[in-house]
Structure formats: structure tokens, C-alpha cells
Amino acid sequence: MAGATSALQSKRPLGKATRDAFGRALEALGAERPDVVVVDADVSNSTRTEWFGQKFPDRFFNIGIAESNLVGIAGGLASCGKTPVIASFACFIMCNGYDQLRMAVAYPGLNVKVVGTHAGISIGEDGASQMGIEDVALACSLPGFVVVVPADEASAKAATRAMLDHRGPVYMRLGRPDVPKVYETDNPPFRLGQANTVRDGRDLTIVANGLMVAAALDAADQLAAEGIEARVLDMHTVKPIDREALKKAAQETGAIVVAEEHLAHGGLGSVVAMAVAELEPVPIRYVNLGDRFGESGSPEGLLEKFGLTAENLAAAARAVIAAK
Amino acid sequence: MRRKTPETATVARDLEQLQQIAKRLRVDILRSTTEAGSGHPSSSLSAVEVVTALYFGGFLRYDPKNPHWPDRDRFILSKGHAAPVLYAALAEAGFFPREDLMTLRKLGSPLEGHPNMARLGGVEASTGSLGQGLSIGVGQALAARIDRKDYRVYVLTGDGEIGEGQIWEAAASAAKYRLDNLTCIVDRNHYQQTGAAEEVLNMDPIDGKFTAFGWHTITINGNDLGEVVQALRRATEYRGQPTCIVSLTHKGQGILPLLEKLGDTNFHGKPLPAKYLDEALALLG
């Protein structure tokens, strides 16, 4: 697709990476939340929990490259009234720590905050082994977990506070690169489980999260030039999904495109499809990574190769409208 | 100054009384698993002396009337399949009525096949997926340190269980933070599911491995209450390192002649058929 606009190449102003916003927010919240304890598996300069660690060394533990132990320790801390925040690359904390997340966190329903950074293919050159592309599906499969995928800097900051304020286990997915700003304000509305309508329209709805929200807004601009008015929902919370917003979208726009930087199976697309099929069946199309691993390359080049572009989203929108 | 044990906790007068309690726990393990028709009595029987000493030898400070008392000591049964010994101890300590033991593994009972902390007060970790309890114990011991509290954490693992790599991740991290408020007891009962532990995966020397990981270690006859009490006292008083007690035991301790007669001294994951229950109880004296 020559000249395609990858999700990172929006004309919207570039903001900081969601991991950076999380790191600063966590550091800022540390003082008012003495219950917060951060445990690291030796990647704090990547996940940005090091900023909290520098400020609150008595509540920061680097336990080495051992994600299973990381999660278990968090369960122990939470069972004693702490609010542990554990962060690693999305693929490592979810895949390596999964049984521990199931047994030591989800099953007892403990108040552990799990943060997976470097999610998706937009990490670029490091390649498939470092790319968390299944993390949302895994997190959604943990009973009782809230699953959050913020779109940009401002919403990642808001999501960090919401995550800490929520009582119970939360998984928050963050990215590595600087991403376009979805919100102009530094304090966008953010309520867990409640989608933000970032653009209104009546011809179809694009439901997106993470860096695909900015791409959805770009796609909506392209569609508007053709006279198609797309509604764009920032579905930052995958679980619990905002059923009301989806029902309204289906009823009022009659067609849905779901966009995410994740495998087809078990992510936002699956969750939206389940809800829409039950509440108000309408045609749906999907823009995601399909059923394949990523590879090395530039983030922009990869996003284009895998079809995570505004143009591809616009094409899916035209297709779903045709299917109405 | 170490806080005192609450008056609501049961503390035995002497070794003889502890032995009487140990016997009651064995009776309860056998009765409850036979009633349930499933479960792990042999893996529970090997750990009776350790659990008895912890709960009734004055080591664990708990309040059965207030199971979530924040300053309590914690006992984590990492070998969760030995739940019947934990439940027997909790009943003896007064966390719930003894007759509830007969609801083991039944629909609606909080006494599930493996411990579930969300449903039963006194259970300090939900276990059953092996290898995870020590990490949880490290987290609890760190929480005590952050809050400058003097509660202690005891974790009981199986000997087959230490084949799980997470045990060694946890062991290394406990040594890094010099968690002398943490004690790991390895129930070295010599058997795991399909056979002898040293044949399935030889982890000997267990004490040597923990020593190499930076732990203080003690090896004892774990079916001798006197030795268990002494080892726990040493572990509790030891400073600067976590302590690992390698507790040499017999799987099925207390009913070994019967298991020999039945031709299965491992007896893994089997309840005693009801027709052998009287014979087994007679062996306990």
C-alpha cells in the first residue's frame, strides 16, 4: 500500500509513549499512595518504573529476571494490604507469569496492578520474541481482571490513576514508541469500562484502542472527504466492555470496524463481536494482526506491512458499509 | 521485643500434649479424606509434625476469632494437595468447627480440594499449582519489612515440588533481601506422584542447594516433634538469612504398616477405603 499512513504517522501532534506517561504518573502518585509498592524484573528503565524507584527506594524491589517470582511476590504483598504494581514487557509478564497471575492474583482476587509495556509490533527492530501480541487475550481470560489499553499520553496518565483507584486486579497494556495525541487536553475523561466517543458520526463506528485510536481518527478524516461520517470510540477498557456504547453504536450507525494492535483471536475484536452479536447484530470488520507473529523492522514499516494504517481502516469502513 | 501469641490461639503445655494434637490431626486427615472419597492423605500425614508444631507449639501467632488480624504470622501450604492437614490444624485451632472437616471437597464447602484463601479464613495463599508458595511468602515477608512489623512467614513445600524453577527464583530473591522473617520447610517425604522423588528428578542435596542460594539450612527428622520444635526455634531466632528446614519424613507416616500391607508406600492421591479406616486409626494408637 504505497503512501499508507501507519498508526504512528498521523498528522496529529506526537505525544510521549504511553509507558512514559505511566512512569511519570506512577512517580507522581507515589507520595499520596503509600500503599503502592513496585516490583521489577530488571526492566525498570524500559517500563519506566525506575522513576518511582528513584523517588521511593523503600517501596521498590528489583527481583531479577524472574517473572513467575515477580507475580507471586506481588500476590504476597497484596495479601498483606499493599497495592503492588508490577511491570515488564507485555509478552514476558503475561506469558511467563501466566500461571502465577491465575493462581496468586486472579483466583484470590487480589489487588495487583499488572502493566505490560512494549506491546504489539510497534516496538520494531527487536522482533517477534519481544512483541506482546496475545497479552489482551490472556488478560481477558483471567477471571475478575480489568483490562485497559490507553490510546495516548494523556489517557495513559489518567488510566494509571484509575488503575490504582480500582480495587482488584488490573492489566494495563502500554506501548514503546511515542504516539500521536488523541486528546488535546492533559486530563481527558477516563472511567474504567466507559468508552470515550472521540468523534461522532452516523454511518459506521470504528471501535479502537491503543495506538489504533489515532489511526481511526485519521481514517475518519479520509472518510469524511468522501461524505462518510464515522463515529470513533476509544474503547480503552476491553474488560468489562462498554456494552451500552456498543449497543448505541450498532443501533445508530449500523456497522462496526474494530481496530487493535493485537492478534485476531481473543482481543478487542472478539470481545466486541460477542457483545454486538448479543445486543444488536450488525456487520463487523476487523483490522488487527491476524494469526501471525511479528518480525524485525521499523515500527512504521511493520505497521504498514501488517495493515495497521488509516487507509486500511478506511477500506474496512467502506466494506462494512457495503455489507449493511 | 516479639509480640505474644494471642490468648485465643492454642498453645500446647508440653511435648506430650503436642503429640496428642498430632494424633488428632492424623485421625482427622484420614476420616475427612475417606469421607470425601478422594484427596491426598499420605502427603498430608508426612507433614503432621511440622504443622502441629507451627500451630500449637507457640510459633504461629494467630487469632481464630479474627483470621485476618493484620499482625498475624502466616503459614503458606505451598504443597496445596496436603490441604487436609491444614484444615485439620485450622479446625483444632478453632477457625471453624471440627465437624466441618467432613465437608471436605463437597459442593458448597469452603474446604476445597486445594486451599482457597478467598473462601476460608486462615488460609494464607491459594495453592495447588506447585512451586508458587515461596514467592508469595517472599512478598508477605517483604510487606512485613516495609511496615516494620514483626510477623513471620512459614512456607511448606514438597520435595517433588522443588523441581519447579519458580522455587529457586524465590529462594534467590529471599536471600537477596536477607528475609530472616521467612522460613521454608521442605517436606522431604521421598515420593512424588509417579515414584521416588530422587528417581523422578534428583534434587539432592536439598540443603546444599539452599545453602548455595544464600540460605541458612537445618536438616531434621521431620516426624519427630521434638526435633521439629527445636528447628523452628532456631529458624525463628536466626538473623541475617532466611532459613530452610529440610524435614526428612515418611509419606503416610502413622499408617505405614497398612500401606505396606496394601503394597503401596507412596499411596499418592488416594483416600483410604472405608473398610481400612478402623485398622488405620488403630495404628495411630
Side-chain angles (χ1 to χ4, degrees):
Chain A
M1 206 185 292
T5 313
S6 84
L8 288 173
Q9 292 164 309
S10 172
K11 286 187 284 290
R12 311 181 71 77
L14 196 64
K16 285 194 166 46
T18 49
R19 62 175 169 144
D20 290 328
F22 154 72
R24 287 297 172 213
L26 188 64
E27 179 193 11
L29 290 166
E32 65 180 87
R33 291 292 301 264
D35 55 313
V36 170
V37 178
V38 174
V39 195
D40 169 41
D42 205 36
V43 283
S44 64
N45 50 349
S46 297
T47 62
R48 308 308 196 202
T49 59
E50 68 173 346
W51 299 331
F52 178 99
Q54 285 157 0
K55 214 162 176 179
F56 306 100
D58 295 343
R59 290 187 275 142
F60 179 84
F61 302 95
N62 178 358
I63 56 90
I65 307 164
E67 291 78 16
S68 305
N69 192 37
L70 175 76
V71 176
I73 287 174
L77 285 163
S79 72
C80 294
K82 299 297 170 194
T83 304
V85 176
I86 51 174
S88 181
F89 285 28
C91 56
F92 304 143
I93 202 161
M94 291 310 297
C95 300
N96 202 323
Y98 199 71
D99 186 23
Q100 291 71 26
L101 288 168
R102 172 179 173 267
M103 283 301 299
V105 180
Y107 184 39
L110 290 170
N111 192 30
V112 175
K113 313 306 175 188
V114 184
V115 178
T117 64
H118 296 64
I121 59 173
S122 57
I123 67 162
E125 289 79 1
D126 277 339
S129 70
Q130 320 293 299
M131 292 171 172
I133 55 174
E134 61 288 272
D135 53 314
V136 172
L138 291 170
C140 284
S141 300
L142 293 166
F145 256 73
V146 167
V147 180
V148 185
V149 187
D152 71 354
E153 180 184 348
S155 54
K157 178 186 166 194
T160 301
R161 179 180 278 279
M163 170 180 82
L164 292 181
D165 287 347
H166 175 77
R167 189 135 191 97
V170 177
Y171 174 65
M172 181 163 72
R173 177 190 225 221
L174 302 173
R176 176 178 179 274
D178 290 344
V179 285
K181 286 185 178 181
V182 168
Y183 298 97
E184 285 164 16
T185 163
D186 285 343
N187 292 297
F190 193 95
R191 285 191 60 186
L192 291 175
Q194 193 170 306
N196 289 337
T197 304
V198 290
R199 178 179 178 133
D200 208 358
R202 55 185 162 70
D203 296 325
L204 85 153
T205 301
I206 304 176
V207 180
N209 64 19
L211 56 72
M212 293 309 288
V213 181
L217 290 171
D218 289 348
D221 284 342
Q222 295 178 13
L223 292 164
E226 303 165 24
I228 299 172
E229 290 302 327
R231 179 180 299 182
V232 178
L233 295 184
D234 172 7
M235 193 62 81
H236 51 71
T237 307
V238 183
K239 194 172 88 168
I241 197 79
D242 186 342
R243 289 162 60 88
E244 281 309 305
L246 289 174
K247 189 175 178 183
K248 265 186 70 177
Q251 286 172 342
E252 294 171 8
T253 72
I256 290 174
V257 172
V258 190
E260 61 186 319
E261 190 191 6
H262 188 273
L263 292 179
H265 185 83
L268 180 64
S270 298
V271 175
V272 169
M274 264 183 77
V276 171
E278 178 191 340
L279 299 168
E280 183 77 27
V282 296
I284 307 182
R285 294 292 180 273
Y286 307 92
V287 175
N288 54 46
L289 299 174
D291 185 35
R292 56 190 166 152
F293 283 101
E295 60 189 77
S296 288
S298 71
E300 296 80 6
L302 280 165
L303 290 166
E304 190 177 333
K305 176 172 180 175
F306 281 77
L308 301 190
T309 62
E311 288 72 16
N312 200 31
L313 257 170
R318 289 181 208 106
V320 81
I321 287 172
K324 272 200 202 180
Chain B
M1 179 73 182
R2 206 171 128 80
R3 285 169 303 109
K4 289 212 167 60
T5 304
E7 283 174 12
T8 45
T10 309
V11 182
R13 277 190 317 276
D14 50 28
L15 206 57
E16 195 182 329
Q17 199 183 3
L18 265 186
Q19 276 157 348
Q20 289 305 312
I21 293 173
K23 189 179 135 185
R24 284 205 289 278
L25 298 197
R26 285 201 159 86
V27 171
D28 286 338
I29 289 165
L30 290 170
R31 281 192 195 282
S32 62
T33 51
T34 293
E35 169 68 21
S38 67
H40 293 259
S42 66
S43 304
S44 300
L45 289 170
S46 63
V48 164
E49 279 74 18
V50 165
V51 172
T52 301
L54 279 168
Y55 277 88
F56 310 107
F59 291 101
L60 287 178
R61 294 160 300 178
Y62 54 85
D63 178 358
K65 305 292 169 227
N66 182 15
H68 300 290
W69 173 43
D71 293 345
R72 71 197 183 277
D73 296 319
R74 272 79 169 166
F75 171 65
I76 295 172
L77 183 69
S78 193
K79 49 174 283 185
H81 54 290
V85 68
L86 173 62
Y87 299 153
L90 292 177
E92 175 77 24
F95 283 83
F96 53 81
R98 180 166 245 118
E99 55 264 30
D100 288 3
L101 291 171
M102 293 303 134
T103 68
L104 175 69
R105 290 175 164 252
K106 290 184 178 160
L107 193 62
S109 170
L111 280 62
E112 299 205 50
H114 294 77
N116 178 354
M117 68 183 289
R119 289 185 71 187
L120 189 61
V123 172
E124 299 293 356
S126 296
T127 52
S129 179
L130 292 174
Q132 299 198 23
L134 193 54
S135 296
I136 297 169
V138 169
Q140 295 181 344
L142 283 174
R145 176 166 297 177
I146 294 167
D147 290 338
R148 295 192 169 79
K149 294 198 167 188
D150 76 347
Y151 63 78
R152 298 187 55 82
V153 183
Y154 300 87
V155 179
L156 180 65
T157 77
D159 52 354
E161 179 180 6
I162 63 173
E164 293 277 8
Q166 189 187 347
I167 290 286
W168 303 102
E169 296 181 5
S173 62
K176 171 178 176 175
Y177 293 108
R178 303 178 185 281
L179 296 178
D180 52 19
N181 55 348
L182 176 69
T183 302
C184 178
I185 303 134
V186 180
D187 186 20
R188 177 80 173 109
N189 68 19
H190 299 279
Y191 278 115
Q192 56 196 94
Q193 182 155 334
T194 65
E198 48 270 50
E199 286 171 18
V200 174
L201 182 69
N202 187 9
M203 296 302 287
D204 283 331
I206 296 171
D207 59 343
K209 286 188 171 64
F210 273 92
T211 302
F213 272 76
W215 287 54
H216 167 235
T217 59
I218 306 170
T219 300
I220 55 162
N221 173 357
N223 289 136
D224 181 312
L225 263 174
E227 284 196 34
V228 174
V229 167
Q230 211 174 21
L232 287 173
R233 193 169 295 138
R234 283 174 61 197
T236 302
E237 289 165 0
Y238 198 84
R239 290 290 168 268
Q241 282 176 295
T243 294
C244 173
I245 299 173
V246 180
S247 175
L248 306 176
T249 62
H250 294 286
K251 200 163 170 175
Q253 175 71 21
I255 60 163
L256 286 169
L258 176 60
L259 298 186
E260 277 162 22
K261 192 174 103 179
L262 295 172
D264 183 358
T265 49
N266 184 356
F267 213 71
H268 181 89
K270 297 183 208 173
L272 208 54
K275 63 180 173 181
Y276 297 116
L277 190 58
D278 285 344
E279 189 176 346
L281 297 181
L283 282 170
L284 299 178

